[in-house]
């Protein structure tokens, strides 16, 4: 009798995305199948949401909400209990609508007749101000965004607010850690000790934990694997992943579990905590292909434990040991084609939480995720983890290989939308891919992330648009030539203006990643940077953006050489678990958190087309001191656009 096939189950734990599968399991499953290994996958993040947001799930939430003392009931909980019959009646149709199964429901949702409205709907009052509605009910607070038509989008936005209200109820009445994205994030993010996670995992299970346990056992019984892979991309997926592992070990204590993913690769590189191995057997670092092949050979008895690759294990004495037999990584050209086989592609939810046409791409629609190149071809930015594998090992694949993968994915999924999830897609590779897509007459839509470098000429932007490019995102960071040079970004503000304008003129939406709080950044730098951003919006260079607070990581050039950036690091406590972010003392003494409030408010308005003629100082009126006037000339970006790019 033949031995049973060795089956590997890759699991997406909660929480990641609801509109499309996180791509790690699709990459791993496709690679393992290309090597003849029986590989399957499941998305327990989506499954948890679909199990919770049902009439029966809401009944269970209501039971726990009623058990709360009156003084502990938040506005969200009160609204839920007061309108429970409507919530229960409308939850299943709303989920079906967001899945694209019942588009006709849009008319009732858009008319604001069907769904109960909780505190999240206060956001519509902000839209009323944007539209000129005086709030007396006579105007349409969403009219500025959707006009007389746009019923489907209007309804999707309202349905998203409805789900957000319910998520708040779950957080307030069931599990204070719950969120659609950052689920229990503080338990894992740069946590030097495993103790917070250990205590949470030892606590009595919440309703969320119980549902996740049931879903885990169902998936394991369905697939009967010999190895389980838990892919953890973010801190907000760690608690869910370990609850899954806990459920598996309770039922099948001998079943091997491996933990890997982006969180592990950045935060657990110096792992010493043996208690983690009560839940998992192996923790792998960096690109998973080679470590997994070695692990599978070991589990099949064809390789000894001392010949694992980039793997943490717990030895017989209970100590954590790092095993790394030097073997070359699988070339990017040979990693195979991602596959979404086994994932319920028609069950994902197309949400519309942001009305900006560029910003919505992250949550609206199901995108096939694909990588043009491994790593970053620039790998110099001082805030980036340039020494780690996911940045530092740069490898490309030929355009025909990428086009072959695209064709196979479209054939499998029936979906022609692609999100290229590179750290920074190289212009040379994008040009070659665009030409190959046009040669093959492949009608796809795609978007990705790049550096706003001068290689992206208006001509190249038009070529990319012709091949199906609809949007680009890239890092402008702090719009200051001094700070861009300190960051080693290799770009200037004027150059970014010309590149982004070239994309916009080609009909490609542009999103800018923006940063504040970089070492030595002054209040003047911040005011000037916002003035640059205002002018970029005003001149049609960018349509969307996001401000994030600079965070110093131990793997970045700033963290490795803080004196070169004028800062002093705050010593970390003893670290046995996660190590990534590190605090620092900046001699400027600027209160960046206070400035961030004004930056985010300004950007929100700019993305909705308002406030572009306001003096940028108006966004900082909440501060107890006046901010300086910008030193940037009012028409600086317009003049930069009028100039021809010089070598």
């Amino acid at each position: 009798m033949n031995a049973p096939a060795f089956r590997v189950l890759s699991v997406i734990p909660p929480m990641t995305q609801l509109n499309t599968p996180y791509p790690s399991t699709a990459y791993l499953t496709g690679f393992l199948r290309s090597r003849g290994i029986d590989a399957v996958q499941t998305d327990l993040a989506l499954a948890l949401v679909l199990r919770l947001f049902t009439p029966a799930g809401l009944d269970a939430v209501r039971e726990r909400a009623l058990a709360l003392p009156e003084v502990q009931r938040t506005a969200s909980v009160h609204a839920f209990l007061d309108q429970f019959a409507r919530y229960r009646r409308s939850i299943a149709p709303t989920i079906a609508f967001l899945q694209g199964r019942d588009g006709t429901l849009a008319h009732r949702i858009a008319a604001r007749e069907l769904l109960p409205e909780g505190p999240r709907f206060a956001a519509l009052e902000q839209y009323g101000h944007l539209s000129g509605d005086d709030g007396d009910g006579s105007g349409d607070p969403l009219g500025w965004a959707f006009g007389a038509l746009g019923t489907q989008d209007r309804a999707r936005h309202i349905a998203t607010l409805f789900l957000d209200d319910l998520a708040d109820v779950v957080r307030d009445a069931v599990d204070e850690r719950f969120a659609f994205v950052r689920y229990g994030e503080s338990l894992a993010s740069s946590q030097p000790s495993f103790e917070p996670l250990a205590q949470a995992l030892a606590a009595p299970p919440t309703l969320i934990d119980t549902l996740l346990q049931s879903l885990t056992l169902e998936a394991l019984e369905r697939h009967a694997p010999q190895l389980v892979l838990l892919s953890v991309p973010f801190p907000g997926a760690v608690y869910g992943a370990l609850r899954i592992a806990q459920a598996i070990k309770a039922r099948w204590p001998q079943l091997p579990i491996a933990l890997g993913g982006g969180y592990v690769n950045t935060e657990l590189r110096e792992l010493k905590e043996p208690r983690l191995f009560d839940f998992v057997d192996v923790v792998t670092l960096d690109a998973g292909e080679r470590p997994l092949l070695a692990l599978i050979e070991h589990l099949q008895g064809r390789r000894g434990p001392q010949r694992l690759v980039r793997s943490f294990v717990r030895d017989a004495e209970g100590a954590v040991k790092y095993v790394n037999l030097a073997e070359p990584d699988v070339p990017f050209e040979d990693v195979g084609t991602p596959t979404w086989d086994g994932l319920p592609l028609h069950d994902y939810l197309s949400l519309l939480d942001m009305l900006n046409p560029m910003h919505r791409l992250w949550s609206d629609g199901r995108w096939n995720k694909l990588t043009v190149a491994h790593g970053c071809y620039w790998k110099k930015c001082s805030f980036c983890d340039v020494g780690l594998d996911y940045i530092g090992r740069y490898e490309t694949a030929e355009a025909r290989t990428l086009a072959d993968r695209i064709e196979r994915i479209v054939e499998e999924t029936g979906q022609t939308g692609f999100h290229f999830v590179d750290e920074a897609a190289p212009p040379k590779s994008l040009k070659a891919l665009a030409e190959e897509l046009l040669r093959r007459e492949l009608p796809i839509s795609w978007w990705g992330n790049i550096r706003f470098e001068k290689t992206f000429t208006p001509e190249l932007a038009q070529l990319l648009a012709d091949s199906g490019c609809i949007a680009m995102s890239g890092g402008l960071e702090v719009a200051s030539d001094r700070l861009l040079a300190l960051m080693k970004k290799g770009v200037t503000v004027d150059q970014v203006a010309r590149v982004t304008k070239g994309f916009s003129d080609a009909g490609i939406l542009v999103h800018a990643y923006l940063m504040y709080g970089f070492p030595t950044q002054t209040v003047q730098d911040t005011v000037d940077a916002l003035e640059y951003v205002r002018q970029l919006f005003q001149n049609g260079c960018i349509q969307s953006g996001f401000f994030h607070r600079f965070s110093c990581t131990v793997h970045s050039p700033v963290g490795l050489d803080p004196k070169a950036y004028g800062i002093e690091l705050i010593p970390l406590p003893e670290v046995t678990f996660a190590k990534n972010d590190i605090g620092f003392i900046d001699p400027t003494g600027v209160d960046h958190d206070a400035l961030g409030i004004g930056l985010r408010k300004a950007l929100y308005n700019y993305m909705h087309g308002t406030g572009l003629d306001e003096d940028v100082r108006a966004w900082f009126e909440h501060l107890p001191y006046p901010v300086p006037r910008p030193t940037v000339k009012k028409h600086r970006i317009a003049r930069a656009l009028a100039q021809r790019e010089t070598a």
Side-chain angles (χ1 to χ4, degrees):
M1 180 181 294
N2 293 330
F6 189 93
R7 173 170 287 184
V8 179
L9 172 62
S10 295
V11 179
I12 303 173
M15 300 295 290
T16 50
Q17 292 177 271
L18 296 180
N19 65 304
T20 196
Y22 192 78
S24 57
T25 64
Y27 281 39
L28 292 173
T29 303
F31 167 72
L32 292 173
R33 289 184 181 182
S34 74
R35 297 302 177 100
I37 296 169
D38 183 8
V40 292
Q41 58 190 322
T42 188
D43 187 344
L44 292 185
L46 177 69
L48 175 62
V49 168
L50 296 183
R51 183 70 58 89
L52 177 63
F53 292 108
T54 60
L58 294 192
D59 285 340
V61 173
R62 178 175 181 266
E63 179 183 339
R64 285 151 180 83
L66 288 171
L68 286 175
E70 181 69 26
V71 295
Q72 294 182 19
R73 296 180 185 177
T74 63
S76 296
V77 173
H78 277 296
F80 173 72
L81 292 175
D82 291 345
Q83 304 180 82
F84 177 73
R86 292 185 67 196
Y87 275 107
R88 192 182 194 282
R89 185 169 61 244
S90 56
I91 185 62
T94 302
I95 293 293
F97 168 71
L98 290 170
Q99 291 172 327
R101 300 178 187 276
D102 188 3
T104 58
L105 198 63
H107 299 280
R108 291 195 66 198
I109 295 176
R112 299 176 68 180
E113 297 174 350
L114 180 66
L115 303 184
E117 299 186 359
R120 289 280 187 155
F121 282 78
L124 297 185
E125 295 179 11
Q126 294 177 304
Y127 304 151
H129 294 309
L130 294 175
S131 67
D133 179 16
D134 60 10
D136 63 359
S138 61
D140 177 4
L142 291 173
W144 68 275
F146 302 113
L149 298 176
T151 303
Q152 290 286 332
D153 281 349
R154 181 193 297 254
R156 196 176 305 128
H157 180 59
I158 291 170
T160 300
L161 293 175
F162 167 79
L163 278 191
D164 287 339
D165 267 329
L166 286 174
D168 292 343
V169 174
V170 174
R171 179 199 64 210
D172 295 343
V174 176
D175 187 338
E176 64 182 4
R177 298 175 293 253
F178 185 79
F180 281 139
V181 178
R182 298 183 172 183
Y183 175 38
E185 181 181 63
S186 63
L187 295 172
S189 181
S190 296
Q191 272 288 356
S193 169
F194 188 69
E195 188 60 26
L197 269 169
Q199 291 182 11
L201 292 164
T206 66
L207 171 64
I208 307 302
D209 299 329
T210 302
L211 292 176
L212 184 57
Q213 179 187 41
S214 298
L215 291 163
T216 299
L217 299 181
E218 291 170 17
L220 269 287
E221 289 167 354
R222 184 166 63 251
H223 293 294
Q226 281 70 52
L227 171 63
V228 175
L229 308 179
L230 294 174
S231 180
V232 180
F234 317 116
V238 176
Y239 174 76
L242 294 184
R243 276 294 189 184
I244 291 168
Q246 187 179 54
I248 294 172
K249 288 298 185 183
R251 177 70 67 88
W252 299 281
Q254 302 306 314
L255 180 59
I257 301 175
L259 182 73
Y263 168 80
V264 175
N265 299 340
T266 54
E267 303 219 16
L268 300 188
R269 303 193 73 84
E270 300 177 24
L271 181 65
K272 302 182 186 71
E273 175 56 71
R275 288 178 293 176
L276 178 60
F277 295 89
D278 294 338
F279 302 89
V280 302
D281 300 276
V282 180
V283 177
T284 68
L285 292 182
D286 300 329
E289 293 86 2
R290 183 61 68 192
L292 286 180
L293 291 179
L295 176 60
I296 291 169
E297 288 180 5
H298 166 59
L299 295 174
Q300 292 176 327
R302 298 187 288 126
R303 178 187 286 245
Q306 73 281 2
R307 299 184 66 237
L308 293 175
V309 176
R310 293 198 301 273
S311 297
F312 288 103
V313 295
R314 184 169 61 184
D315 64 19
E317 286 72 42
V320 177
K321 181 172 64 174
Y322 183 60
V323 183
N324 184 19
L325 179 68
E327 291 188 12
D329 274 299
V330 176
F332 181 66
E333 182 89 19
D334 300 331
V335 295
T337 301
T339 178
W340 283 264
D341 179 45
L343 296 178
L345 298 184
H346 298 294
D347 289 350
Y348 287 86
L349 309 176
S350 283
L351 305 176
L352 188 51
D353 51 4
M354 192 76 175
L355 303 184
N356 179 276
M358 170 74 204
H359 215 87
R360 65 184 289 179
L361 294 179
W362 276 274
S363 65
D364 183 20
R366 205 200 68 71
W367 301 94
N368 298 311
K369 309 258 186 177
L370 194 63
T371 308
V372 174
H374 182 282
C376 177
Y377 66 98
W378 179 250
K379 53 188 174 187
K380 295 179 183 178
C381 296
S382 57
F383 55 82
C384 198
D385 296 336
V386 295
L388 300 188
D389 177 81
Y390 79 99
I391 298 289
R393 180 168 62 88
Y394 174 63
E395 293 183 6
T396 62
E398 293 187 5
R400 65 172 180 270
T401 300
L402 296 173
D404 287 345
R405 291 174 183 172
I406 288 170
E407 285 188 321
R408 286 195 289 271
I409 291 169
V410 171
E411 182 179 2
E412 175 190 299
T413 66
Q415 300 279 341
T416 59
F418 284 81
H419 180 195
F420 297 144
V421 291
D422 300 68
E423 295 300 322
K428 182 178 179 181
S429 296
L430 287 179
K431 179 176 185 293
L433 177 58
E435 291 170 343
E436 184 68 12
L437 292 173
L438 290 168
R439 187 186 69 79
R440 298 191 189 192
E441 298 183 342
L442 284 177
I444 70 168
S445 301
W446 63 270
W447 57 295
N449 191 61
I450 60 168
R451 293 179 62 248
F452 293 133
E453 61 164 84
K454 61 184 179 182
T455 311
F456 287 106
T457 62
E459 293 76 21
L460 178 53
Q462 188 60 55
L463 174 68
L464 300 181
D466 292 342
S467 74
C469 180
I470 60 170
M472 281 294 194
S473 61
L476 172 56
E477 318 311 346
V478 181
S480 157
D481 285 340
R482 178 184 75 83
L483 292 173
L484 287 172
L486 185 61
M487 292 177 181
K488 297 182 173 61
K489 280 292 293 185
V491 300
T492 65
V493 176
D494 287 2
Q495 178 183 314
V496 169
R498 286 187 281 264
V499 170
T500 54
K501 182 62 171 172
F503 281 119
S504 294
D505 287 346
I508 296 171
L509 296 171
V510 181
H511 174 90
Y513 291 109
L514 303 164
M515 181 187 295
Y516 64 100
F518 193 75
T520 74
Q521 183 175 347
T522 64
V523 174
Q524 185 69 66
D525 289 329
T526 302
V527 172
D528 287 350
L530 184 58
E531 174 61 19
Y532 276 125
V533 170
R534 183 193 70 80
Q535 292 186 32
L536 288 169
F537 273 97
Q538 190 176 54
N539 286 276
C541 298
I542 61 177
Q543 290 76 45
S544 173
F546 182 80
F547 269 112
H548 64 95
R549 173 74 187 267
F550 167 75
S551 179
C552 182
T553 69
V554 295
H555 312 293
S556 68
V558 176
L560 294 171
D561 186 13
K563 289 184 179 179
Y565 299 88
I567 61 171
E568 178 186 347
L569 299 184
I570 299 173
L572 291 169
E574 181 185 3
V575 176
T576 58
F577 187 55
K579 182 180 180 181
N580 191 40
D581 294 350
I582 184 168
F584 62 93
I585 300 171
D586 188 331
T588 61
V590 174
D591 185 352
H592 293 293
D593 288 336
L595 290 170
I597 295 171
L599 293 173
R600 290 189 293 273
K601 186 176 180 181
L603 193 62
Y604 176 87
N605 280 269
Y606 295 166
M607 286 196 293
H608 291 95
T610 62
L612 290 170
D613 296 323
E614 295 281 339
D615 187 314
V616 295
R617 289 174 291 177
W619 304 111
F620 302 105
E621 289 179 346
H622 64 284
L623 297 175
Y625 55 86
V627 298
R629 122 184 1 259
T631 63
V632 180
K633 300 295 185 184
K634 286 284 186 182
H635 303 290
R636 168 68 183 272
I637 295 300
R639 291 194 181 99
L641 296 176
Q643 298 170 0
R644 299 187 60 178
E645 183 73 84
T646 58

